[in-house]
Amino acid sequence: MKQPIAFVTNIEREEVDQWLELFSEVMPEEESVPFDQVTDLTAIEIAIVANPRPEDLLKLPNLKWIQSLWAGVEGILKEKSLDHIPLARMTDPNLAVTMAEAVLAWTLYLHRDMPKYAEQQQARIWKQQPFVRAEERSVGILGLGKLGLRSAETLLAAGFKVLGWSRSLKNIDGVETFAGDKGLNNILNQSDIVVNLLPHTPSTWNLLNEETFGQMKAGASLINFGRGATVEPNSLIAALDSGHLKHAVLDVFKKEPLPDDNALWVHPKVTILPHISAPTDPKTASQLVADNIKSYRSSGTIPTVVDRSLGY
Ligand code: NAP
């Protein structure tokens, strides 16, 4: 007899019910049970998680793998006692399409000077800013994984000059690629718009700081759609205040929701988004989870998992 699957999460009850309904549609042969309703904790081999409390997962002694509904899994990786359990994160191809759309949208926002025209409107200033063609605008993407690669392709198709940086050097048609510390310096000082799509790991923590903002081109802008942990906020504010950086579009923060008293809320050169650049699509994500579970049930194969030594 199949053991039930535990749904371990601290999202709102209503959202839990919506996910459970989807799970029963896409995998009617499985029984998915919210963690607080699991009767026999020892029977659980698979946990589907969305922002779980790690201590709940630790109560499942026979857990074989954890499937995250989100792409970022740094919260689970922090709990070292879970290190022996394979962890699969959300790698829905639709997520990459959604992220690439957001990257293009906010790149165009900066490229076509929308923050400047909004500011001019407030002051009733009728003034044309110099026009720059897309091919004259360099967009540097930090992180060339699933989301970064698709974003690079989308920006290329829109006519931008695209550069990319990753841990291991990539070969992508039409994209100038970089790796390592020197590569970071190179991409930062050549990009008019820097897009962060790195995961939150010990080596990306505060990677964008006083020194690296200083390496960015004067007048460049930042889009942070990866994780808040990569940006040191005081250094960002200093770089914007000094005029070295023009604008920052921020979707992710060290603390979310962004606290009311955070200076970024009211900074004239900052656009705040409430972590919306690439939401998980429940329909396609639940199907991906169902496919992974089906494959596990038939062959015992655990889907591609996070490399804990790298933290992503
Ligand atoms: P991924 O496929 O794992 O790719 C990560 C990329 O970052 C890879 O290219 C990797 O290099 C590079 N990288 C990691 N550590 C690095 C380092 N220390 N130095 C240089 N490059 C490094 O991840 P993904 O699916 O593209 O997702 C990226 C992140 O986006 C997620 O971790 C999540 O935090 C964030 N995200 C945000 C939202 C949102 O709504 N804002 C939604 C989904 C995801 P290699 O290629 O060499 O391994």
Side-chain angles (χ1 to χ4, degrees):
M1 201 191 75
K2 272 181 197 163
Q3 307 298 359
I5 296 164
F7 186 28
V8 188
T9 175
N10 64 8
I11 58 176
E12 298 294 323
R13 188 75 230 181
E14 197 185 330
E15 231 187 307
V16 170
D17 291 341
Q18 286 163 1
W19 277 108
L20 288 171
E21 205 178 308
L22 276 172
F23 295 153
S24 64
E25 272 171 33
V26 292
M27 39 184 182
E29 66 289 2
E30 299 284 348
E31 187 194 359
S32 307
V33 185
F35 177 76
D36 57 8
Q37 289 170 31
V38 173
T39 48
D40 179 7
L41 295 170
T42 64
I44 301 295
E45 287 189 355
I46 306 170
I48 300 174
V49 306
N51 198 15
R53 279 177 290 267
E55 59 271 29
D56 289 345
L57 292 167
L58 288 168
K59 288 180 191 145
L60 303 170
N62 296 316
L63 197 55
K64 298 261 188 328
W65 65 276
I66 303 168
Q67 169 71 59
S68 171
L69 294 178
W70 305 160
V73 287
E74 62 276 4
I76 306 169
L77 292 178
K78 262 192 244 155
E79 183 50 69
K80 294 294 163 212
S81 359
L82 291 169
D83 271 5
H84 60 291
I85 305 169
L87 165 65
R89 63 186 193 95
M90 182 48 60
T91 53
D92 182 354
N94 287 289
L95 195 72
V97 174
T98 309
M99 179 58 92
E101 181 185 85
V103 168
L104 178 62
W106 294 98
T107 298
L108 289 171
Y109 168 80
L110 296 167
H111 167 58
R112 296 304 300 259
D113 287 316
M114 293 194 213
K116 187 72 190 167
Y117 288 118
E119 183 194 313
Q120 287 187 189
Q121 185 177 349
Q122 291 296 314
R124 302 176 187 223
I125 295 173
W126 180 275
K127 183 180 175 208
Q128 282 104 17
Q129 297 296 325
F131 175 71
V132 178
R133 294 153 62 91
E135 56 265 42
E136 294 164 342
R137 195 79 83 183
S138 298
V139 186
I141 304 179
L142 308 183
L144 291 172
K146 303 222 165 28
L147 307 185
L149 177 59
R150 183 71 192 214
S151 299
E153 291 164 351
T154 304
L155 290 169
L156 272 182
F160 290 99
K161 182 166 188 287
V162 183
L163 301 85
W165 183 72
S166 47
R167 198 177 43 80
S168 54
L169 191 63
K170 300 279 182 290
N171 187 357
I172 306 167
D173 262 3
V175 179
E176 194 178 346
T177 52
F178 303 88
D181 289 349
K182 191 148 189 306
L184 179 63
N185 189 333
N186 282 333
I187 192 171
L188 292 179
N189 65 42
Q190 290 180 48
S191 303
D192 300 301
I193 298 170
V194 170
V195 181
N196 174 44
L197 284 173
L198 290 166
H200 173 178
T201 72
S203 44
T204 62
W205 172 264
N206 281 349
L207 184 82
L208 296 177
N209 53 37
E210 189 182 345
E211 186 189 342
T212 44
F213 284 131
Q215 293 168 4
M216 281 174 70
K217 242 177 155 171
S221 295
L222 171 72
I223 297 177
N224 187 13
F225 285 174
R227 280 291 181 262
T230 304
V231 172
E232 204 289 290
N234 293 330
S235 307
L236 173 62
I237 290 175
L240 291 165
D241 286 345
S242 71
H244 179 60
L245 295 190
K246 187 152 62 171
H247 198 86
V249 177
L250 308 174
D251 184 47
V252 285
F253 302 89
K254 284 210 159 92
K255 187 167 195 296
E256 295 182 12
L258 185 65
D260 280 0
D261 60 355
N262 192 294
L264 290 168
W265 274 118
V266 291
H267 199 289
K269 294 181 179 172
V270 173
T271 299
I272 303 279
L273 302 171
H275 203 138
I276 46 80
S277 53
T280 297
D281 176 344
K283 273 219 160 74
T284 51
S286 55
Q287 187 58 58
L288 189 135
V289 169
D291 294 346
N292 280 350
I293 288 171
K294 203 169 175 186
S295 141
Y296 172 75
R297 294 291 195 207
S298 63
S299 65
T301 313
I302 292 176
T304 314
V305 293
V306 169
D307 180 335
R308 293 188 190 255
S309 66
L310 296 174
Y312 67 97

